[in-house]
């Protein structure tokens, strides 16, 4: 993936490094395309927690927050207290 915010690029890099899959764009639906399934979703959560130093509780899980790289980046920015993500 090229372009996108710094947070989107960081999440895309995490997909490459930890899940060994590239995501074509920030707006690709990760569930509809099969990039994320239930097992990979759990792997993603663990990787996000480790990389960004945050904890995600079951109560705050909303699948729509993880549907695209853009939405994941916005969630991480809110949760980890990073700079706001433009357009999110």
């Amino acid at each position: 993936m090229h372009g996108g915010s710094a947070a989107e690029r960081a999440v895309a890099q995490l997909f490459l490094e930890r899940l060994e899959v590239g995501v074509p764009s920030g707006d690709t639906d990760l569930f509809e395309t099969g990039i994320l399934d239930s097992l990979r979703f759990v792997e993603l959560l663990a990787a996000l927690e480790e990389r960004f130093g945050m904890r995600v509780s079951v109560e705050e899980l909303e699948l729509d927050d993880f549907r695209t790289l853009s939405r994941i980046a916005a969630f991480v920015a809110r949760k980890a207290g990073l700079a706001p993500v433009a357009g999110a």
Side-chain angles (χ1 to χ4, degrees):
M1 184 192 105
H2 301 290
S5 69
E8 275 184 49
R9 289 190 303 273
V11 173
Q13 187 64 32
L14 187 108
F15 268 83
L16 283 172
E17 292 172 5
R18 296 290 295 269
L19 302 179
E20 299 178 352
V21 63
V23 178
S25 77
D27 295 327
T28 299
D29 190 308
L30 302 170
F31 294 105
E32 281 186 13
T33 58
I35 292 171
L36 279 182
D37 59 17
S38 57
L39 178 59
R40 286 195 168 219
F41 181 64
V42 172
E43 291 173 5
L44 172 65
L45 289 175
L48 289 170
E49 288 182 340
E50 181 181 312
R51 173 74 54 94
F52 297 104
M54 60 183 202
R55 292 285 173 227
V56 181
S57 69
V58 173
E59 293 80 22
E60 63 190 337
L61 281 181
E62 183 64 48
L63 283 185
D64 280 341
D65 287 336
F66 298 91
R67 192 161 294 282
T68 67
L69 284 182
S70 299
R71 290 181 182 183
I72 295 169
F75 176 84
V76 167
R78 286 190 313 270
K79 184 73 178 154
L82 303 176
V85 177

